[in-house]
Amino acid sequence: MQTNPPPPQDATAPTVAERATARDWAGLALLVLPMLILSIDLTVLFFALPTLSADLEPSASQTLWISHVYGFLIAGFLVTMGRLGDRVGPRRLLLVGSAAFGAVSVVAALARDPATLIAARALLGVAGATLMPSLFSLLRVMFRDEGQRRLAIAIMFSAFSVGGALGPVVGGFLLEHFWWGAVFLINVPPTALLVLAGRRLLPERTERVTTPLDLPSVALSVVGVLGVVYGLQELAAGHESQGSGAGAVGRNLAVAALGVLVLAVFVHRQRRLRHPLFDLTLLTNPRVGASLATLLLVGVGLVGMFYLFTQYLQWAVGLSPLRAGLWTLPYIVLNVAGAMLAPALGARLRPAVVVTAGLVLAALGAALLLALADPQTPLALLVGALSLAGLGQGAAMALVSDLIISSAPVAQTGSAAAAQEVSGELGTALGVAVGGAVGTLAYRAALPDDPPPGVPEAAMAAARPDAHEGVTTAERLTTGGPALLDAVHEAITQGLRVVAGVGTALVALAAVLVAVVLAGGRRGHEESHE
């Protein structure tokens, strides 16, 4: 235990009078609202998609855009909105963004065609990007005491985890009693409360940054990310809009390659700017880079697997949205339990060791889901495998954030926090996109070329685009319906197997990365704190 007197520079540390007041804690409760709605909106459509698809009839490509454009635009605009908050004040940006989020949610709920819903989801992403950097900036103002600030940040991250996990359950409940637009209208009351009470309970930061935003960098980051996403999702759904030939594949690969090229230009520009939009020097720290990569890998691997599992519950098992949501509760409970246990384990063991063990456990759960996935496997076993992955994920991700902040130089902790949010949001959004695209490709490849006995060739062709079309076509057939439905169920299951295999590989890679780079750096970490 440290017994030496504090050094002179600690004389400016918060005094008892500077500890958080009751108003600050009430403000924290208010700030939980945007964190919840952000995370719920990332996953609430998992169970709403089948109902929404039946009403709006989007193409496979449009379905993927409805699912992930929200998360990608949040990720694309996070750094930009963080810098904008430094210029205009985080409270002002938070309140304006919350008002916009509530208003656009109404537009999404009332959408009558896929294009309108995609546009509304995109605007929700832009508005949502204002919330998270603003609220974390306000936490630094409200909680000057280090211990209280850590508790406040822990509450925020717990709210985000719980909201994301409960999104499908909330969506299932609403769809059981209302129409699909209700999954967006639930955003209105909390955003209204935040706007009305925010000026009274939340302080404004007086410091301002006068450095102008580099608008070309903003455009390059967003265009580059969306170019990569567009190419990926069109590779899965391209034949509907462009045909399935080599030409369509080539065009989609070219779009994805163009997105990568634009991102390369973005990186080059950041290196040349005196005041870059994103501080790339932060990534030269191996511990920070490895932690950010871990967030991205786990997000792509496990979120994609969870997304496909929610679709499996409805299309292959035939559960209603509410019952399917209830079957994900064990995953939610164990995910939160892992997150709650992680700090205590990290106090006894090295945090990097806990993260590595959690990732190994998560990879094991994903591998078990891969091995057990079969239409004849009892659902409880599949949920158990998924929940095991959730337990490991919760334990690992609860400590990765601290590893990022503690490994960064003190002067760059703000940039580290922004990079952490971008990596986490991008991993979640990429997980949905990759899971949807890979699952769709695997589904199409698994359907037999020759129709089962009694199934017309036209029906087989109609069932091939995606699981929704497959189940719908089979249920409408007067002859050969059961045979086609069995083939569709097996193809859906194959899609889950493939995505679970991808998830296993990505999480295992993250475990190796943490074990090599982070778990081996104890001495350097301790010296950086002396």
Side-chain angles (χ1 to χ4, degrees):
M1 180 178 295
Q2 178 68 40
T3 58
N4 295 330
Q9 59 265 32
D10 287 347
T12 60
T15 64
V16 173
E18 293 172 320
R19 290 174 63 85
T21 64
R23 175 186 172 186
D24 293 324
W25 290 109
L28 176 65
L30 192 65
L31 289 177
V32 167
L33 296 177
M35 186 65 82
L36 283 174
I37 63 175
L38 273 175
S39 56
I40 287 176
D41 262 48
L42 281 168
T43 57
V44 71
L45 285 187
F46 283 8
F47 288 125
L49 277 177
T51 304
L52 184 154
S53 298
D55 188 10
L56 300 183
E57 298 184 350
S59 66
S61 173
Q62 289 174 323
T63 299
L64 288 174
W65 275 114
I66 290 170
S67 300
H68 65 238
V69 69
Y70 168 79
F72 273 101
L73 284 178
I74 284 182
F77 278 95
L78 265 174
V79 174
T80 300
M81 293 304 178
R83 291 286 300 275
L84 183 60
D86 289 338
R87 286 177 59 86
V88 304
R91 186 184 71 174
R92 178 183 297 178
L93 184 64
L94 176 68
L95 298 183
V96 171
S98 298
F101 197 94
V104 178
S105 294
V106 176
V107 175
L110 300 179
R112 290 295 174 263
D113 58 79
T116 301
L117 183 56
I118 291 171
R121 288 277 289 172
L123 292 175
L124 281 173
V126 177
T130 67
L131 306 182
M132 194 174 295
S134 298
L135 68 86
F136 275 105
S137 180
L138 287 174
L139 290 181
R140 299 188 186 99
V141 179
M142 297 161 62
F143 299 95
R144 297 192 60 194
D145 178 81
E146 186 178 76
Q148 291 185 326
R149 186 171 63 250
R150 287 176 177 172
L151 175 60
I153 292 175
I155 292 172
M156 287 291 103
F157 278 112
S158 297
F160 188 83
S161 299
V162 171
L166 288 179
V169 179
V170 172
F173 174 81
L174 291 173
L175 291 171
E176 196 80 4
H177 297 88
F178 306 99
W179 99 110
W180 60 263
V183 303
F184 296 107
L185 290 181
I186 60 172
N187 296 329
V188 176
T191 53
L193 179 60
L194 179 60
V195 171
L196 292 174
R199 293 185 64 86
R200 179 177 180 83
L201 295 179
L202 302 176
E204 181 59 285
R205 197 183 67 191
T206 57
E207 298 85 358
R208 294 288 189 273
V209 174
T210 59
T211 302
L213 291 175
D214 183 55
L215 296 182
S217 293
V218 175
L220 287 170
S221 64
V222 175
V223 171
V225 169
L226 292 184
V228 173
V229 177
Y230 181 84
L232 173 65
Q233 59 96 27
E234 283 298 315
L235 282 173
H239 85 277
E240 287 189 80
S241 58
Q242 303 169 329
S244 57
V249 173
R251 284 191 296 271
N252 294 327
L253 287 174
V255 171
L258 181 62
V260 173
L261 179 61
V262 172
L263 289 178
V265 174
F266 169 79
V267 170
H268 178 70
R269 183 174 180 84
Q270 302 315 294
R271 289 174 173 170
R272 294 175 59 247
L273 290 175
R274 181 179 179 184
H275 301 290
L277 187 67
F278 181 76
D279 187 1
L280 295 174
T281 61
L282 185 65
L283 303 182
T284 61
N285 183 326
R287 292 171 63 87
V288 174
S291 297
L292 293 174
T294 297
L295 280 175
L296 187 62
L297 290 170
V298 173
V300 175
L302 294 188
V303 173
M305 187 177 71
F306 182 73
Y307 169 72
L308 256 291
F309 189 74
T310 63
Q311 305 302 292
Y312 172 87
L313 291 176
Q314 294 181 86
W315 294 125
V317 182
L319 299 180
S320 68
L322 179 58
R323 290 187 63 197
L326 292 175
W327 271 104
T328 66
L329 282 177
Y331 167 86
I332 296 170
V333 171
L334 287 184
N335 187 273
V336 173
M340 294 298 101
L341 288 172
L345 292 174
R348 290 177 170 270
L349 305 170
R350 293 168 54 198
V353 172
V354 178
V355 172
T356 302
L359 292 175
V360 170
L361 192 63
L364 177 61
L368 284 175
L369 185 61
L370 167 64
L372 295 174
D374 187 273
Q376 307 304 319
T377 300
L379 185 55
L381 291 180
L382 299 181
V383 172
L386 182 73
S387 301
L388 183 64
L391 177 65
Q393 178 191 18
M397 295 300 98
L399 295 179
V400 163
S401 297
D402 178 66
L403 284 172
I404 293 173
I405 301 301
S406 64
S407 299
V410 175
Q412 291 183 303
T413 52
S415 295
Q420 167 193 287
E421 297 307 322
V422 171
S423 187
E425 293 285 351
L426 191 58
T428 298
L430 267 173
V432 176
V434 172
V438 172
T440 299
L441 287 172
Y443 164 83
R444 293 174 183 172
L447 280 179
D449 294 330
D450 298 324
V455 177
E457 290 188 7
M460 197 68 190
R464 193 168 295 277
D466 55 39
H468 166 63
E469 294 295 337
V471 173
T472 301
T473 301
E475 291 176 344
R476 290 175 179 171
L477 280 181
T478 55
T479 58
L484 178 57
L485 191 60
D486 287 343
V488 168
H489 285 171
E490 174 56 37
I492 294 171
T493 305
Q494 179 62 16
L496 178 62
R497 292 190 195 106
V498 173
V499 173
V502 172
T504 301
L506 292 177
V507 177
L509 177 61
V512 172
L513 187 64
V514 171
V516 172
V517 178
L518 301 184
R522 180 179 184 180
R523 176 172 296 179
H525 175 70
E526 290 177 347
E527 288 175 354
S528 67
H529 287 76
E530 290 179 356

